[in-house]
Amino acid sequence: MARIAIVGPGAIGGTVAARLHATGNHEVCLCARTPRPPLEVTTPDGMLRGPAQVVTNPDAASLVDWILVATKTYDAAGAAGWIGRLGAAGAPVAILQNGVEHLARFSPFVPADRLVPVVVDLPAERQAPDRIRQRGPGRMTVPNGIRGEEFARLFAGTGITVTLTEDFTTAAWRKLCLNAAGVVSALVLQPAGIMRDPAMADVARDLVQEAIAVGRAEGAVLPDELVDEVIESYRRAPPDAINSLHADRLAGRPTEIEARNGVIVRLGARHGIPTPANRMAVALLAVIDTSKS
Ligand SMILES: NC(=O)c1ccc[n+]([C@@H]2O[C@H](COP(=O)([O-])OP(=O)(O)OC[C@H]3O[C@@H](n4cnc5c(N)ncnc54)[C@H](OP(=O)(O)O)[C@@H]3O)[C@@H](O)[C@H]2O)c1
């Protein structure tokens, strides 16, 4: 039985917590910013309840064996506020977030050898503070190694598949290439069906091609065909599917644009790779955000 703390019980954290709790193999604790009633998670396998244990004050948190961070990328500093207390005995810290900067984001707060970056493929949304819907199968990818193996063992019997990879850089950049194109929907406030429009698909192609060029410079192995794969995956998605950048904009929440497209611009500049499409997308979304306030 492992003691597991989930920092950030939103769509991903809440789903993962409910699934870990349902195995009966672990003691799961939710570390929440906002007090909430017990979670109900609707999954393709039926309804699950989240664990009863919810803490909202880091000073009241107890030592655990594993810390799973599932806040948005821009809430990393707040999430880190929990880690000192929960991980005082040296617990590993898994980062369940999008982007390619899991380690850079948390290494100011946690020694690198305790960090486990996680690529999350798990479509989930918060429908109310206490209700989450998992829309499809859950998969996660972690680097191969002792920590990765331990992390995978935690998820035995949860229905979430954990894959160990020798090349985490490539896994994270492949996901980023998919996410890079999602900014088109966020900008024009149109769901995935917008990629059936050839002009919009061309814009997305430029975004992904830049991501591929920068990813390769960072050491990822990304085939040219990935551009078409990404466009096809948006075109195959239900036309009314809304990606999280788009959903955050609709809900008036901050977006993860820095971790999704901003990183392509920043790392591109470091490698001398032009990224005009991503630069424009980041600038446009920033102006839209500023003009709201
Ligand atoms: N949702 C998906 O389908 C999906 C799929 C793949 C990857 N991802 C990635 O997974 C990560 C999490 O996304 P999400 O969709 O689960 O976000 P989310 O639903 O917004 O959940 C984030 C949670 O973090 C909490 N939080 C923020 N600061 C905190 C703090 N200091 N202490 C404790 N909790 C804190 C928020 O609390 P409040 O309730 O107070 O806001 C919220 O419950 C993101 O990087 C996202 O890109 C998401």
Side-chain angles (χ1 to χ4, degrees), residues 7-13 31-34 36 70-73 75 78-79 82 96-98 120-126 135 175 244 253 256 260:
V7 178
I12 296 299
C31 299
R33 175 169 63 181
T34 315
R36 66 195 57 229
T71 63
K72 288 280 174 61
T73 51
D75 282 326
W82 289 91
L96 283 65
Q97 290 181 334
N98 266 327
V120 182
D121 290 304
L122 194 172
E125 67 209 16
R126 274 197 279 177
R135 281 184 285 108
K175 177 82 193 284
S244 69
R253 293 187 291 254
E256 291 186 305
R260 292 169 62 127

Side-chain angles (χ1 to χ4, degrees), residues 116-119 140-144 148-149 151-152 162-165 168:
V116 180
V118 186
V119 172
M140 296 194 283
T141 306
V142 292
N144 199 2
E149 285 170 14
F151 179 83
V162 179
T163 304
L164 302 172
T165 177
F168 185 80

Side-chain angles (χ1 to χ4, degrees), residues 172-238:
W173 275 92
R174 280 193 82 97
K175 177 82 193 284
L176 189 71
C177 286
L178 180 72
N179 281 344
V183 73
V184 172
S185 285
L187 282 168
V188 299
L189 292 177
Q190 295 286 334
I194 195 67
M195 293 296 190
R196 296 170 191 198
D197 177 317
M200 291 296 101
D202 280 348
V203 173
R205 278 197 184 87
D206 288 346
L207 292 159
V208 179
Q209 258 151 3
E210 291 174 9
I212 289 176
V214 178
R216 284 174 178 163
E218 286 284 305
V221 181
L222 303 167
D224 292 339
E225 300 75 50
L226 186 54
V227 179
D228 288 330
E229 276 176 39
V230 167
I231 305 302
E232 270 318 298
S233 74
Y234 281 97
R235 286 180 167 172
R236 274 199 314 271

Side-chain angles (χ1 to χ4, degrees), residues 34-56:
T34 315
R36 66 195 57 229
L39 283 178
E40 280 186 11
V41 184
T42 310
T43 80
D45 312 313
M47 215 274 281
L48 299 175
R49 287 191 191 286
Q53 207 186 338
V54 183
V55 193
T56 51

